[in-house]
Structure formats: C-alpha cells, structure tokens
Amino acid sequence: MLLLHLSDIHFRHPICNTDRDPDRPFRTRLIQDARERVKALSSVDAILVGGDIAFAGKPEEYEAALKWLYELADACGCDRTRIFVIPGNHDVDRDVIRTDLSVQNAQRAVVNAKSADDKEWQLQRQLQHAETGPALLRPIAAYNEFASRFSGAFFAPERMFWKSDLPLGDGVTLRIYGLNSTILSGWRTPEGENDVEKDLYVEPQQTALDPVDDVVNLVMCHHPPDWLIDGDRVADDVNGRCSIHLFGHKHRQRIVRDPKYVTFYAGAVNPERQAKDWRPGYNIIGLSLGKNKIGQPQLDVVAHLLEWQTSPEGFKPIKDDDCDIHHADVRLRNVNPRPRAALTAPATPVADPPTGGMETVMSEDRARSIVLRFWNLDMSDRRDISRKLKLIEPEEAKLPLAERFGRALLRAGERRQLEELDREIAKREKR
C-alpha cells in the first residue's frame, strides 16, 4: 500500500483563487514531483491530509483546496474517494469565535476545568447540550462542509473523530483514525492571542483506538502531543495502540522510529515564506506485511521524505545517512497475516469501537463513492433525495448542512439504503 502524506497547505483567500498566488508554484511542483515518483513505485492508494488545509477557515479557501486535491489525486492515480482529511488550527474561523459568545463560553468552560477528569466531563457536558455542542463546532463549519464529501466532518456529541478501513492484504486491515485537535483552538482569540503549546485538547474518547486483532491502526492528528493539555496521556494512548502516527503543525519534517511504531511529522506544503526554516515538503509512505528474523509479524515501512530545494527548484529526498529512502520495521502484536490461499471464507468481522460502528461499512470504496457523488449534487437534489428516502429526522432540519446530510448518509448505511441512494444520485447525474 502506498500513502501520500501532506499537511499545512494554507490556501489563503482571496489570492488562492487567482494566478497571482505566490504559493501556487510549489503546489504545482509537488503534483509534478509526485506524478513522476509514483511511476517508479505504484499508484497511490490514499492521500492523507493532516490539517491546516485553509488559512482562515473560509469557504473560498476550500474551493481552491478541493480543486487542487483532485488534481493531485488524478496525477497520482489515486481514487478521489481515497482522500482523507482532518482539521488544523488554520481551519478554524476565528471571526466566528470573536463574534459568538456561545462559542467563547463553551470553550472556556473546558479550559477552566482544573483536573483532567473535570476537563473530560466538562467537554462531554458541553458537547451533549443542544446549544453548546453545535457551538463548539461552529468555527469549523466551512471545513466540515468541505470534509463531508470525504466523510471527514465532525458533529456533536458522538462524532468527534472518524475512522475508515482499507484492506492491507492477507486478511489484515489498515484502520485510519482522524482526530480533531481543534475543539479549543482559538479560545484566546477574543484577546487577540494565538494558540500556544498546551492550549489544545484531544479527549480520551478520541484516543480509545481499540487495538483489535488483524487491524493495523494509523492515527492522524494535526497537533503533536506536546501541543495538547493532556499530551502525556495522548502520547501513551497513541504509542501503545497505533503502529503509524501522522502529525502536522510544526512545519518540521522528520521520522521517528520505534520497535512498536513509526511517527511521521509532515513538512508544510506551504509554510510562511518569511519563516526561518522555510522548507515545503511532503511524504510518500509504503506499507507491506512481513516477518522479522524470528518469524514474528511486522509492518515493513519504506518512506520517501521530500523537501523543497531552490536551485534547481523542485523536491529532493531527505537522506537517511547516504540513502534516499527511510526504512522502519514495526512489530505487530495483534496481527496474524494469512496467505491468500488460506482466506477461503470471509474473515471474522473486525470488532468496532462502540461509537460509530457503521463507519466501517461507510468506509468501503463503493460507499465513499456514493458519499462523494451525493455531495457533488446541487443542494436542491441533496435535499430532495434525503426527503424521498426519509433520511432526515424532523428535529434535524435546522442542523448545519454538514451534520444534517452527514447524519442522513450514515442513516442510509444503517438502514441498508445505499442501493436506493445510489440510484437516486444516478438519476440526477444524468439530467
């Protein structure tokens, strides 16, 4: 399996939708570089975007981002349904926080809780409330609408992270967890201050990350643990339960290898050009199942860490000693790969976390294709289909679009209405 990992693209309105954008050439060169590299490797199976897609969380920024991500996917031979996204602090619209006291009050209720237990309790209390729950997600409303087509939106209280499964081979599944570290991002905004280390929070429900049999867990989170209030606990959960970690935010590209996991920190696609260590970058990560010297299962990781050079301009490998490729072997304690010939019957279903169990069904390629096509329809068509199939409950009519239709799509999966949904979408696509 080949993954393309990038973060911190920072599409900035209004210039991102013009040919005067000074960051555009770096994104163009990245597409060209990735297209050439995958010719010698294989097509990309998934594109993992680690947050800060926008610069200020504005809808126009996501219009530019969507177009560019589609171009990148097409160039790499990656199906558009295999784009996975999470938000970063630049995906938070701070104008919403400045003008909305309900957002400020809900955030500060969590910030001011004294102990870790109190913070967890207070956050759940806010998320489950009919008014403060939606308020906490209002600053990422534009992100949510963009991310909905990739099943990457969040809504309170039960969907504060997402997960999606990809077949890794030999009866083993790669389970991707997308975490949301932005719930408190911007709480200092009314005073004009930016987030600082230890400001942000990822609650324990997001890091349950169940290490079930024959599943390799991969976690994506924009902020590394050292930026989180409860960073030690998050690091312990992630290190103990996930084989692959992807972080962004720091604009510092590196790999950390451990016998039990491998961690990638993404270089920014478009860091601030005035920054001291200005180095655009991205990663290509290859995964395969293997065995160590004593026959124990392991994950073989082959990574290309690529950063910008100016003369001649383009992306060059960050070397591991004298080698262009970084290798890591990760021990798999809960995985038993089986040869294809041994898989004569369907494998035992993988146990799901108690929340969002339907997501593993909705992560199948065909379901993700239906979701993407649904969001490509006009608003009136989405509304008509949802009404015809009775996918929206009366009390959900006033929810934000991402949550209203997101719940409708999950309900279609739960009710086994995906075939009907597919047919209704096809009718409108042919008009």
Side-chain angles (χ1 to χ4, degrees), residues 93-169:
D93 187 341
R94 292 168 188 263
D95 290 337
V96 172
I97 301 174
R98 290 188 188 96
T99 58
D100 194 328
L101 284 175
S102 62
V103 179
Q104 296 177 31
N105 292 338
Q107 287 184 325
R108 288 186 179 275
V110 182
V111 170
N112 293 332
K114 299 302 181 185
S115 68
D117 286 345
D118 286 344
K119 276 187 168 52
E120 182 183 1
W121 174 80
Q122 187 62 252
L123 178 58
Q124 292 307 312
R125 180 169 175 263
Q126 299 296 324
L127 290 174
Q128 291 169 15
H129 191 274
E131 295 180 4
T132 58
L136 281 169
L137 293 173
R138 211 167 287 145
I140 61 168
Y143 162 83
N144 265 342
E145 186 159 353
F146 156 80
S148 292
R149 68 197 71 236
F150 307 121
S151 300
F154 303 100
F155 39 85
E158 72 277 25
R159 198 172 195 266
M160 295 306 295
F161 67 94
W162 56 257
K163 66 181 188 295
S164 191
D165 288 357
L166 297 177
L168 192 52

Side-chain angles (χ1 to χ4, degrees), residues 301-362:
V301 182
V302 177
H304 305 255
L305 278 61
L306 302 155
E307 71 176 2
W308 182 261
Q309 70 172 23
T310 56
S311 184
E313 72 171 27
F315 289 87
K316 67 176 182 179
I318 299 174
K319 290 186 177 291
D320 187 9
D321 292 328
D322 292 327
C323 183
D324 289 350
I325 301 172
H326 298 251
H327 295 268
D329 298 327
V330 179
R331 178 162 53 91
L332 300 175
R333 292 183 292 171
N334 58 308
V335 167
N336 179 32
R338 299 177 297 285
R340 187 177 300 274
L343 299 173
T344 55
T348 302
V350 173
D352 282 322
T355 58
M358 181 50 59
E359 288 203 40
T360 55
V361 174
M362 297 301 289

